[in-house]
Amino acid sequence: MEKKTYISLYWKCQLIGWSVAALYWACQGWSAAGNFRFDMAVVQFVSDVIMYILITHLYRNFANKNHWHDLALQKLIWRMLIVIPVMGVFYAIITVSKLYLVRLLFLSHPHQSFAGFFSLNAVGIFVAGIRLMAIWLLAYHLYHYAKREMRLSVENARLELSFKQSQLDNLSAQLNPHFLFNALNNIKSLVYTRPDAAGRAIDLLSELLRSGLYKGSAMLIRLNEEIDLVRDYLELEGLRMEERLQYDLDIDISLSALMVPRLCIQTLVENAVKHGVALEKQGGKIEVIINEKNGLVSIRVLNPGKLEPNKTVAGIGLQNLKERLDLSYQHHASFSLYEMEQKVCAEIKIPIR
């Protein structure tokens, strides 16, 4: 099958837009001049389209290289106020030079020198160039601004949906009959043997349920608040699993105020307990290590066990977490699951911002 040639929307707009403008100028010349020459008009038309596409395309490459499409609207406007006169100067120089060369080509005895021709026409062409470049820049950046806003709206909707799913997963895990009945049975036995521990278990269970139901819709929370939730969960699981579960939290205290995706560490810890410690006959130890290196915060959760072959990300909860990280940090965050010294390590790396 023969492959069809594809022309992007950008090049279609460039060709059509400047062709229409050049055709308009040719019509003006035809209506204003008594000695209109078709061959001269064709050269003017072709040269206009090529030159002005070249000027605007050079600007496009410059804007892409400096990531101007990602700028806030206010910052972009200030840059455009500087760029428009500069492009107007280029427009005037190129246009005046082109007009004079065309006259040399078609008129055997031009009436003016280049200096005289330039001084007579430069100001008017410069003003026209500013108007044209301003229109082009406005249309170009408004299109990309609208496109960016639509993309961000879609990503925010996906992020909110992913976060809601994470909330539901977390609440579902807390309301899971196996988890809930084990917690209640454990509390019941503690009432007779360790009343203080039973009271503490009730407090922990209620706090976990409250975090799933009444903590609002904030998608980012402080690291210390997330760690408090993790501590409550591990302490409650410790009351249930007793000596089979040990845990150690090694947290860089300077990162306490860092904003992290809500339930991100909680998800890793729950996964470590469910797929790690709970499956080991002798139980094991959960380690949470959080530190900063080279502008990235590393969040590692280690548990005993081994990964299944060719398995890097497991479970809906972890897939959901990976998608939330991609959306929240524009693919500058990462999630990985690997073996480390006979342990399974789930690691999140997020930029400090």
Side-chain angles (χ1 to χ4, degrees), residues 25-271:
W25 295 325
C27 292
Q28 278 190 321
W30 175 73
S31 61
N35 56 344
F36 180 80
R37 293 182 56 174
F38 182 77
D39 55 349
M40 189 174 176
V42 170
V43 172
Q44 293 270 37
F45 176 87
V46 173
S47 59
D48 283 346
V49 172
I50 293 174
M51 289 189 309
Y52 303 143
I53 284 180
L54 178 62
I55 293 175
T56 51
H57 186 65
L58 287 174
Y59 168 79
R60 175 181 181 258
N61 289 343
F62 175 80
N64 286 340
K65 184 178 179 180
N66 292 277
H67 305 287
W68 282 14
H69 297 321
D70 299 326
L71 293 174
L73 189 58
Q74 185 177 3
K75 292 182 179 179
L76 180 61
I77 289 174
W78 281 110
R79 285 164 173 78
M80 288 176 62
L81 291 176
I82 298 173
V83 167
I84 288 173
V86 173
M87 294 181 70
V89 170
F90 278 103
Y91 177 91
I93 293 172
I94 291 176
T95 302
V96 172
S97 301
K98 183 263 300 183
L99 289 173
Y100 191 78
L101 288 173
V102 170
R103 284 170 174 262
L104 284 178
L105 181 64
F106 289 94
L107 302 177
S108 56
H109 300 289
H111 301 293
Q112 293 173 300
S113 66
F114 177 75
F117 185 79
F118 186 87
S119 62
L120 182 64
N121 295 282
V123 174
I125 293 176
F126 172 71
V127 173
I130 285 182
R131 183 170 62 249
L132 276 172
M133 294 300 110
I135 293 172
W136 188 92
L137 286 170
L138 186 63
Y140 179 73
H141 282 294
L142 278 178
Y143 168 76
H144 282 283
Y145 184 78
K147 189 176 179 181
R148 185 182 69 176
E149 289 301 306
M150 291 174 63
R151 175 176 57 81
L152 290 176
S153 296
V154 172
E155 288 184 353
N156 286 336
R158 287 177 59 199
L159 180 59
E160 185 173 353
L161 180 63
S162 179
F163 172 66
K164 293 298 183 184
Q165 183 62 49
S166 179
Q167 280 186 306
L168 289 174
D169 290 342
N170 181 61
L171 184 59
S172 176
Q174 292 161 5
L175 295 177
N176 181 282
H178 181 72
F179 170 83
L180 194 58
F181 292 156
N182 280 340
L184 291 175
N185 286 332
N186 190 57
I187 291 171
K188 179 181 177 181
S189 63
L190 289 174
V191 167
Y192 299 106
T193 58
R194 298 164 57 197
D196 293 339
R200 177 58 180 164
I202 293 173
D203 291 338
L204 292 170
L205 182 60
S206 62
E207 185 61 32
L208 285 170
L209 295 175
R210 189 180 298 113
S211 71
L213 292 170
Y214 305 115
K215 284 289 186 177
S217 58
M219 288 183 280
L220 295 175
I221 64 171
R222 293 178 181 272
L223 177 63
N224 59 341
E225 294 176 333
E226 178 76 3
I227 293 301
D228 288 342
L229 180 63
V230 169
R231 281 197 180 97
D232 289 345
Y233 173 78
L234 287 172
E235 187 176 348
L236 181 61
E237 285 290 275
L239 290 172
R240 180 175 68 88
M241 300 178 69
E242 297 181 342
E243 70 278 356
R244 293 185 63 237
L245 173 63
Q246 292 89 41
Y247 57 89
D248 179 52
L249 306 180
D250 182 7
I251 316 295
D252 185 345
I253 195 171
S254 65
L255 302 173
S256 297
L258 177 74
M259 303 301 290
V260 298
R262 186 176 165 201
L263 302 175
C264 65
I265 307 176
Q266 169 76 4
T267 299
L268 298 184
V269 171
E270 288 184 3
N271 191 71

Side-chain angles (χ1 to χ4, degrees), residues 10-24:
Y10 164 76
W11 283 110
K12 288 178 182 177
C13 291
Q14 283 280 69
L15 290 169
I16 294 173
W18 287 118
S19 296
V20 170
L23 187 61
Y24 170 75

